[in-house]
């Protein structure tokens, strides 16, 4: 899931939430914080289930075309 926003942190961080127990309420575990200039827009599990893939684009300027990326999070 997208992590709850926090002041001073990137807006889109990736978190995992263990829903196997709901009492007490689970806390999200941040597993990916994007580097400056990277704008994530999607998260998918790998086919084997052993990693997450974060999809995003690098911020662009007027003189450079957009560049996408897929980042593997173990």
């Amino acid at each position: 899931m997208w992590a709850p926003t926090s002041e001073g942190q990137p807006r889109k961080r990736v978190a995992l939430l263990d829903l196997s127990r709901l009492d007490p309420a689970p806390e999200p575990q941040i597993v990916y914080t994007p580097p400056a200039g990277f704008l994530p827009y999607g998260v998918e599990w790998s086919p084997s289930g052993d990693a997450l893939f974060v999809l995003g684009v690098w911020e662009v300027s007027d003189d450079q075309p957009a560049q996408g990326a897929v980042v593997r999070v173990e």
Side-chain angles (χ1 to χ4, degrees):
M1 66 181 242
W2 297 120
T5 57
S6 297
E7 190 171 331
Q9 293 293 328
R11 189 170 65 87
K12 286 208 170 176
R13 297 177 297 156
V14 177
L16 294 179
L17 193 60
D18 182 358
L19 298 177
S20 62
R21 294 186 190 173
L22 299 177
D23 188 25
E27 289 289 324
Q29 176 188 2
I30 307 297
V31 295
Y32 179 77
T33 300
F38 187 66
L39 308 170
Y41 62 79
V43 178
E44 298 292 334
W45 284 107
S46 67
S48 61
D50 63 346
L52 288 172
F53 290 109
V54 179
L55 294 77
V57 295
W58 290 98
E59 287 183 293
V60 297
S61 62
D62 292 337
D63 60 340
Q64 292 184 347
Q67 291 189 359
V70 177
V71 178
R72 182 183 172 105
V73 180
E74 298 296 328

